[in-house]
């Protein structure tokens, strides 16, 4: 009800504020018998963590995951898997000058209106730091899906106005941008360093492909797999759009162009649909894109008001990313994994 | 779990197949004391129903709503509101030649894989006819929101490659396209009649504005108001994308351009965010767009396979819309109303 | 949230008031492929319906079930099964003299305080008539469980101070009391006719045995199978208590007496636990008892107040049961079936 | 779905095994603005913790609660309240001789059948240690309810065959038994020391009174306040029965005896119903009783089988309570508080 849980069978609940004691997640619904190495969870977290390169925020969190329950002798027991990450590099003082401001583009004003108070330190609960808990849970979902040969890969396809020209998924981890086109990655990197220099930020688009999904996942009507993916993606900080398959572009197509004919062998001649028909996976790759807005935290001076309604000018001195889409790549993968894992388990009850 | 319910407090469950006995909806969670006129619900249904003009399917459903419970002497009692619509114009024979086929772009194959069988008549549960139940429930949500001066308006902004040039919401109901630009509406109408002639279809984009939403609706983290709207929209048949505020376009902007500065009076200087920050309404208009694919049912001959995997060529002779986005306009409004009403009620427990 | 749904995977939502247009139920989550004969559902309803003998209320409802969706060619399709029963014998006038009273033992006052208004006709939503919808849904659950050789039998073990002396489940349907002891049944019948004569009522206890339940159903911690059965039973009108296995009596036992030793063959030497350990079925018969209070509607004159707080004396002239526990027997079976069916489906995701 | 959460709006999820790293709880849905002192939570935990007297298990857990999130400057922020308790006194070796046994009365066999494996150390997740997490969450619920003058008191009314003769709630905390009758408490204490001596255990009954509950809490039909209390109580380890108001005894009463007449001033002349009518609170005290079985862990030698099905004789040498009902008293209060708090918040949406 308060919106901190996601999923029906593979259900996660996250908790924790950016500058509180710890953040964490409970996975309730991971089947017993899954082999889970703590190292794998840590690896996924390391992919998201700040301070990895000159183009992401240098906040030096260790982001060390502690597994509190649910795994015994390396195997899931079917009971809730509790994981926490202590907050260590807590410089709350950085936020002292911001505590009475409503920063543009942030959730300061909306949290204040909703709750009547707010934890102003580093955006509190609305901080992207919360997504570390999702990545930890996502690691378990990824393990579960890999067990059934389902694999998820997300990557950057555009930053600002710079778009990829080619797409080679082998190249994603060869550059800091997590981009399947090395030349574009280089161009983006240069652009981001410039933005960092002037203290501005930019948006970007993440694409995500899931392979190996059997036909039949997703519930008709409201819990369409596409609808749950849309929700999963729009629940990530700074997202502004979601499209699957041909997405918005297919609004310009004709039915005769957009329909994916079926071929003998129960294959499809094309994949305009992005792998989902009527909300249910059709066995094709699931492919979608997520739009990220430019980070709201910029060093350039900005105008706003304080909690008393008085106009103020301010600038933010904290540690921030020029393009949050890049660090969001593992978060997109994690939320995709959690969504698909949930529907994978839900599908067990479709037929007698 | 099976995905036929939507909402947490204002919760709806729909049921019914296109060519079964009836379709319907149960609203569980409408507060007691709301004045609900059956005529208003019927009016909303009439906006969605087929056969209204030459550019939508001529299926002559009466779509008469029967209220079974939950309203006593014109007032909601707090108990579940049950509504059904009998299916009358049931020409199941139209579908006899399709019963063993997997129509491209339809849910035939995915339902078959999910359930091991399917009700092939008129797409069964995956038919857009199910959305009539949503519109009936949405009418109640609209009444609830209007009681608090929250209003929702959806309209067509593009069909195929034809986009609006101007936007005057007063004009929406003056044309069959539900378009805020009369000239564009005329152009679209001409285009659709041509498509109908050749037996093809096209996609379109619906935009939706909600006014009067107080700041503070939406839950942080997973049940962001934007995330729930994304899910609501992607749960509508034939949708392929959702974007809020500047949407995908804001991926090309800089933070200094995209941030909406706050002004004295707790107003915003702009609305790039589309009325939601950190998943919570900020008091601005909520504005988003939904991409609809071209209808899969076209009269042109198509290739596919049958349930035995054999290749077949076929064409569909039923009654279908050249652009489903148009009839989806009241469905977009209904799902928006249900989502916002749910969060309106949820917000009552944010603070002590 | 508003409490009209039950179950997680096999999930039902009921709706309807005693004297409204219809009552009904939606089953969301019945797996596809289950053979369901409408006659079987009707039979179950007929077991519950009023007017069957001189010791139950003579209200002459036909209670004819209409299946609106979810079953195609006699087989469940996996989509929601919608069922309604029209209210026919609606004598609302019987209630005109009660509309401003708060009848003792009824929900009149509590509904009024909760909702600010109430549908006074025949208790509205709080009428036991709502349980007909549960019985219809329960029939589907019973079919599902029988497919897996799980069987449920409930029966009367006491009415007022009269208790069974012997227990032969073969005899249950040979008497109007649904009692496994014919002599006791006869004694009870005589007692009830006397109560009917003087216009009073009495309570009773229903026992229920479920056989064939495999070990492993039920979730640890909160959704223990025993906890969900307790909730299911206490959700039935007029219930005041639930006990499983030795129940309250085992509070007087020693551990050395109460523990059920295990024997080779994975059997148990005894069944003090009533078939559930740690909230999970152990393969033994599940056996529990439910206490029903005497019906609140009696013909004897009673004192109470009206909605203005003024004292009044009144008597109820409607049609009522001298012991509601008897007609509740199929309701206990239905709710047990729904609970066990739900956990049967939930258990599919315990292990990888 | 996996049964580790409880509540709809005031929703808790617990996690953790008896001998794992930590146990804990997330409260999702506590409204912002509630003053919560960590000391109060600790006090509640101290009431439950082992080692307090010679009649409860001497396991010397410190049970120190760590608040990880959701409370800022002593006030709830509306975000999830995460709390953990590290397991310190972990003598897993005590359980080495039990790891291949199915102990009678324990969940060993059922967990094994459900999950295909089990964490055998100290019963793992099925240990009553899990209830410490409930008590921590319950402390927050108690604070919330006290803010609205709702108070909860539980106490022992019987142990084995020894029942209270008088009831003075002032006396509860004056004896180790938490019994409102000092003489009976003394008698019970003597009995328990005898049982401890011979290595056996006994059951008991806990009664619970909630005062100050406004009329109107509880949802009709399935989520009756009484039904949710029944579930809450049966979800506590070692419970076997629940009864409200006159409970099982009222099955022997007549309607004319059992109905509680209303008096001017909207009061009731009696409280046979236990404060709930039609599932909704009527403003009277809510009073119910919970039956606890004798603890399954006894020192006396017992027979059972091992996981290979071979018969074995064994005895348990660990640290255990002769009567678990006593330490369950604060757990009953905690679960009552969580249930009532949840319905208190749910009731905000009953009327417009």
């Amino acid at each position: 009800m308060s919106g901190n849980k996601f999923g029906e069978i593979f259900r996660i609940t996250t908790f924790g504020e950016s500058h509180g004691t710890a953040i964490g997640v409970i996975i309730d619904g991971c089947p017993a018998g899954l082999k889970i190495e703590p190292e794998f969870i840590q690896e996924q977290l390391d992919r998201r963590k700040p301070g990895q390169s000159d183009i992401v925020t240098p906040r030096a969190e260790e982001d060390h995951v502690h597994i509190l329950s649910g795994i015994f002798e390396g195997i899931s027991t079917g009971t809730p898997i509790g994981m926490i990450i202590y907050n260590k590099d807590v410089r709350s003082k950085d936020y002292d000058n911001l505590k009475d401001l409503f920063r543009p583009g942030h959730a300061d004003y909306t949290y204040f209106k909703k709750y009547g108070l707010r934890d102003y330190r580093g955006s509190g609960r609305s901080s992207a730091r919360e997504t570390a808990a999702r990545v930890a849970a996502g690691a378990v979902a990824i393990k579960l899906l890999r067990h059934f040969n389902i694999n998820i890969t997300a990557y950057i396809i555009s930053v600002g106005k710079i778009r990829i020209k080619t797409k080679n998924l082998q190249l994603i981890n060869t550059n800091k941008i997590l981009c399947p086109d090395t030349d574009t990655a280089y161009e983006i990197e240069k652009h981001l360093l410039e933005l960092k220099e002037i203290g501005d930020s930019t948006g970007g688009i993440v694409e995500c492909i899931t392979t190996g999904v059997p036909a039949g996942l997703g519930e008709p009507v409201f819990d369409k797999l596409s609808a749950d993916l849309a929700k999963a993606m729009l629940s990530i900080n700074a997202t502004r759009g979601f499209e699957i398959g041909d997405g918005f572009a297919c609004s310009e197509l004709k039915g005769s162009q957009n329909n994916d004919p079926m071929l003998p062998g129960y294959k499809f001649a094309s994949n305009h649909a992005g792998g989902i028909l009527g909300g249910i996976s059709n066995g094709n790759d699931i492919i979608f894109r997520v739009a990220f807005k430019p980070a709201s935290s910029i060093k350039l001076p900005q105008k706003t008001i304080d909690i008393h309604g008085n106009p103020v000018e301010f600038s933010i001195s904290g540690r921030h990313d020029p393009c949050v889409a890049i660090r969001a790549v593992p978060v997109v993968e994690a939320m995709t994994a959690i969504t698909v894992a949930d529907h994978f388990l839900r599908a067990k009850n479709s037929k007698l």
Side-chain angles (χ1 to χ4, degrees), chain A:
Chain A
M1 273 299 308
S2 294
N4 297 288
K5 70 108 178 135
F6 189 85
E8 294 293 315
I9 291 191
F10 191 95
R11 176 178 285 182
I12 69 167
T13 303
T14 71
F15 60 95
E17 284 78 46
S18 177
H19 288 64
T21 302
I23 60 166
V25 64
I26 310 305
I27 304 172
D28 191 13
C30 182
L34 182 69
K35 202 175 164 189
I36 303 171
E37 304 83 0
E39 303 74 30
F40 180 73
I41 299 172
Q42 190 61 53
E43 264 171 47
Q44 293 296 315
L45 276 167
D46 291 347
R47 291 179 60 212
R48 194 211 72 96
K49 90 171 170 202
Q52 298 174 106
S53 78
D54 47 2
I55 52 158
V56 294
T57 162
R59 177 171 167 165
E61 284 290 354
E62 220 183 290
D63 273 3
H64 179 66
V65 66
H66 298 263
I67 300 174
L68 303 180
S69 64
I71 299 178
F72 181 52
E73 298 175 344
I75 307 289
S76 66
T77 61
T79 61
I81 300 173
M83 297 187 278
I84 61 171
I85 301 163
Y86 283 101
N87 292 320
K88 288 194 179 152
D89 183 23
V90 175
R91 298 197 219 156
S92 302
K93 276 186 205 149
D94 281 4
Y95 296 92
D96 269 4
N97 69 319
L98 303 174
K99 65 184 277 195
D100 289 333
L101 297 188
F102 297 132
R103 290 168 299 165
H106 278 90
D108 298 349
Y109 177 65
T110 56
Y111 267 65
F112 184 72
K113 291 297 282 185
K114 181 173 187 65
Y115 296 117
L117 52 85
R118 70 184 165 101
D119 179 350
Y120 55 81
R121 304 164 303 166
S123 297
R125 180 83 180 132
S126 72
S127 165
R129 180 151 179 70
E130 181 269 341
T131 60
R134 305 185 187 204
V135 170
V140 176
I142 287 168
K143 283 290 297 182
L144 178 64
L145 294 176
R146 286 192 188 169
H147 187 82
F148 297 100
N149 295 314
I150 301 170
N151 286 284
I152 295 165
T153 311
Y155 43 87
I156 291 286
I157 59 165
S158 78
V159 165
K161 290 174 181 167
I162 310 170
R163 293 206 158 226
I164 56 168
K165 289 103 205 169
T166 62
K167 201 196 293 188
N168 179 349
L169 302 192
Q170 310 298 329
L171 301 176
I172 295 168
N173 291 308
T174 66
N175 60 76
K176 297 172 188 173
I177 309 299
L178 303 175
C179 181
D181 172 353
T182 316
D183 288 350
T184 302
Y186 178 74
E187 203 181 334
I188 290 172
E189 196 181 339
K190 226 180 73 184
H191 179 53
L192 292 180
L193 290 173
E194 285 163 12
L195 283 172
K196 203 178 157 192
E197 187 69 27
I198 59 171
D200 211 341
S201 64
T202 190
I205 298 177
V206 174
E207 188 169 85
C208 182
I209 290 184
T210 307
T211 61
V213 181
L217 306 196
E219 299 296 327
V221 187
F222 298 114
D223 295 355
K224 289 179 160 79
L225 182 51
S226 37
D228 279 346
L229 286 168
K231 173 164 177 166
M233 293 307 125
L234 267 292
S235 81
I236 300 173
N237 305 42
T239 51
R240 283 291 183 267
F242 169 88
E243 60 175 14
I244 187 157
D246 284 2
F248 276 86
C250 82
S251 71
E252 302 191 0
L253 295 180
K254 290 184 181 156
S256 55
Q257 300 168 310
N258 184 66
N259 282 351
D260 300 310
M262 287 196 76
L263 305 174
Y266 303 96
K267 300 283 177 201
F268 291 84
S270 53
N271 190 14
H272 296 286
I276 296 176
L277 282 172
I280 303 169
S281 63
N282 65 12
N284 252 339
D285 291 350
I286 294 176
I287 182 161
F288 61 78
R289 282 165 297 286
V290 189
F292 285 83
K293 70 169 187 176
S296 305
S297 287
I298 54 175
K299 287 194 185 162
L300 288 172
Q302 295 184 84
K303 289 182 180 178
T304 188
I305 55 172
D306 64 18
I307 57 173
H308 310 295
N310 301 319
V312 283
E313 194 170 318
F314 76 106
S315 64
I316 300 173
S317 57
R319 304 149 298 185
H320 303 285
D321 288 343
C323 178
V324 290
I326 297 167
R327 276 181 57 213
V329 166
V331 183
V332 166
E333 289 179 357
M335 288 307 297
T336 303
I338 291 163
T339 306
V340 176
D342 189 39
H343 278 283
F344 186 87
L345 298 178
R346 289 170 77 167
K348 292 206 183 170
N349 281 306
S350 302
K351 331 180 213 190
L352 212 56

